[in-house]
């Protein structure tokens, strides 16, 4: 994959401090592949994810506990391990034995400053989640919950990434094609937001991004994809969206999910309630992304 190699070896023009998390577990291959892509691009990255699969835990939060006898997900830490810990060979890879929200906040407040000279992260990235998070799924997603926590509790702009393909897979297995593609796409969106300058997102806003299915015959190269600006929830009775692609009503994430083709939905979500933000805050997001966005 020429595009994958290119993104892996060429540093970004601007490297920033990034905190990563997810709800599938710190040792799941999607987040590890994305960690490598971000690091290879020159970013200063710390991963702080749950010790176990915590999918569907929304915004739950609880103090981390000692790891039970079964150990961390995919045997990535032994039973009886401390409530928090790190990879033996790379201390930037960290687990927190609790929910995604707890994991990312521990990373923001405790772990990341050790690597960032006392500073906090500048951007929070969660996922790519194993499975889509669209529409009515969004409030229940731990991947979204972690992103929203970064925005609401720490004031850090955040992007939640989810991908339709795959099953939970250990970090030490051969990297599936979809993991590579999702890491490339997530890096492209991240690069666009970073290049747009600060503030990376309007106050109280997170991005909810969903990638389509990747197969050996379709949607298997980053150049196949088109990025569509969407809304999280249907807006029949809501206020008008920002003017975009000749209309003031954006397509929903469901519209993109059920459409044939290699379409990526990007929604500007309100971190206070995980729904679509108002038009006034959609517009600066669209302006930041406009050079990569397409119209249907």
């Amino acid at each position: 994959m020429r595009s994958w190699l290119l993104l892996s070896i060429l540093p970004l023009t601007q490297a920033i401090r990034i905190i990563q998390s997810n709800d599938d577990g710190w040792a799941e291959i999607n987040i590890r592949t994305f960690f490598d892509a971000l690091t290879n691009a020159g970013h200063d990255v710390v991963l702080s994810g749950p010790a176990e699969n915590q999918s569907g835990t929304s915004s739950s939060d609880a103090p981390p506990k000692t790891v039970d006898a079964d150990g961390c997900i995919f045997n990535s830490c032994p039973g009886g391990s401390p409530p928090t810990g790190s990879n033996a060979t790379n201390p930037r890879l960290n687990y927190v034995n609790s929910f995604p929200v707890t994991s990312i906040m521990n990373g923001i407040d405790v772990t990341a400053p050790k690597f960032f000279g006392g500073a906090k992260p500048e951007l929070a990235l969660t996922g790519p989640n194993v499975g889509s998070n669209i529409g009515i799924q969004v409030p229940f997603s731990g991947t979204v919950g972690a992103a929203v926590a970064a925005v609401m509790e720490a004031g850090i702009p955040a992007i939640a990434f989810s991908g339709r393909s795959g099953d939970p897979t250990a970090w030490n297995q051969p990297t599936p094609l979809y993991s590579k593609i999702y890491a490339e796409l997530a890096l492209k969106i991240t690069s666009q937001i970073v290049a747009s300058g600060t503030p990376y997102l309007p106050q109280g806003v997170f991005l909810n991004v969903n990638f389509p299915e990747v197969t050996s015959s379709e949607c298997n190269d980053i150049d196949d994809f088109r990025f569509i600006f969407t809304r999280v929830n249907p807006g029949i009775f809501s206020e008008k969206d920002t003017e975009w692609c000749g209309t003031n009503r954006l397509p929903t994430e469901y519209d993109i999910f059920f459409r044939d083709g290699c379409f990526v939905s990007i929604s500007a979500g309100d971190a206070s309630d995980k729904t679509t933000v108002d038009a006034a805050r959609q517009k600066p997001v669209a302006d930041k992304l406009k050079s990569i966005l397409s119209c249907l």
Side-chain angles (χ1 to χ4, degrees), residues 46-69:
V46 171
L47 187 157
S48 182
E52 294 284 351
N53 187 328
Q54 295 286 350
S55 295
T57 53
S58 187
S59 293
S60 298
D61 188 12
K65 302 182 296 184
T66 299
V67 177
D68 63 26

Side-chain angles (χ1 to χ4, degrees), residues 18-262:
I18 293 175
I19 185 72
Q20 273 190 288
S21 194
N22 68 352
D23 70 6
D24 296 308
W26 77 305
E28 209 284 323
I29 202 162
N30 278 1
I31 194 171
R32 293 293 183 91
T33 304
F34 190 25
F35 174 88
D36 290 341
L38 290 165
T39 301
N40 290 338
H43 289 299
D44 199 359
V45 191
V46 171
L47 187 157
S48 182
E52 294 284 351
N53 187 328
Q54 295 286 350
S55 295
T57 53
S58 187
S59 293
S60 298
D61 188 12
K65 302 182 296 184
T66 299
V67 177
D68 63 26
D70 293 332
C72 292
I73 188 171
F74 305 127
N75 298 313
S76 54
C77 79
S81 292
T84 63
S86 62
N87 181 276
T89 57
N90 188 349
R92 288 176 177 268
L93 302 173
N94 295 265
Y95 75 80
V96 176
N97 191 31
S98 186
F99 299 109
V101 166
T102 316
S103 301
I104 199 167
M105 293 310 301
N106 186 269
I108 290 170
D109 294 333
V110 179
T111 309
K114 298 176 184 177
F115 295 93
F116 298 160
K120 288 191 175 183
E122 297 169 272
L123 184 65
L125 304 175
T126 62
N129 187 72
V130 180
S132 301
N133 282 308
I134 62 172
I136 61 173
Q137 297 171 316
V138 171
F140 306 101
S141 166
T143 293
V144 172
V148 165
V151 176
M152 296 300 292
E153 298 183 35
I156 297 172
I159 309 174
F161 297 102
S162 301
R164 190 171 180 177
S165 289
D167 297 298
T169 303
W171 87 102
N172 56 0
Q173 298 301 303
T175 306
L177 175 62
Y178 67 82
S179 287
K180 294 180 181 180
I181 293 295
Y182 291 163
E184 291 184 54
L185 293 169
L187 180 58
K188 182 171 183 176
I189 294 169
T190 301
S191 301
Q192 181 71 21
I193 290 296
V194 171
S196 74
T198 56
Y200 295 129
L201 293 172
Q203 185 174 4
V205 172
F206 76 101
L207 297 187
N208 190 47
V209 179
N210 278 272
F211 304 129
E213 187 174 9
V214 170
T215 70
S216 59
S217 59
E218 291 184 298
C219 305
N220 55 23
D221 189 282
I222 190 171
D223 295 329
D224 295 339
F225 293 84
R226 293 171 62 191
F227 301 90
I228 308 299
F229 197 41
T230 53
R231 54 181 295 118
V232 177
N233 49 300
I236 299 173
F237 301 110
S238 65
E239 295 294 325
K240 294 178 181 179
D241 295 316
T242 189
E243 185 76 23
W244 188 253
C245 292
T247 179
N248 55 23
R249 179 59 70 212
L250 298 174
T252 68
E253 294 171 343
Y254 286 112
D255 292 331
I256 304 307
F257 182 84
F258 291 111
R259 181 181 289 267
D260 290 335
C262 306

Side-chain angles (χ1 to χ4, degrees), residues 229 231 241-242 250 268 276-286:
F229 197 41
R231 54 181 295 118
D241 295 316
T242 189
L250 298 174
T276 305
V277 295
D278 54 88
R281 286 184 290 171
Q282 286 174 341
K283 186 180 187 308
V285 175

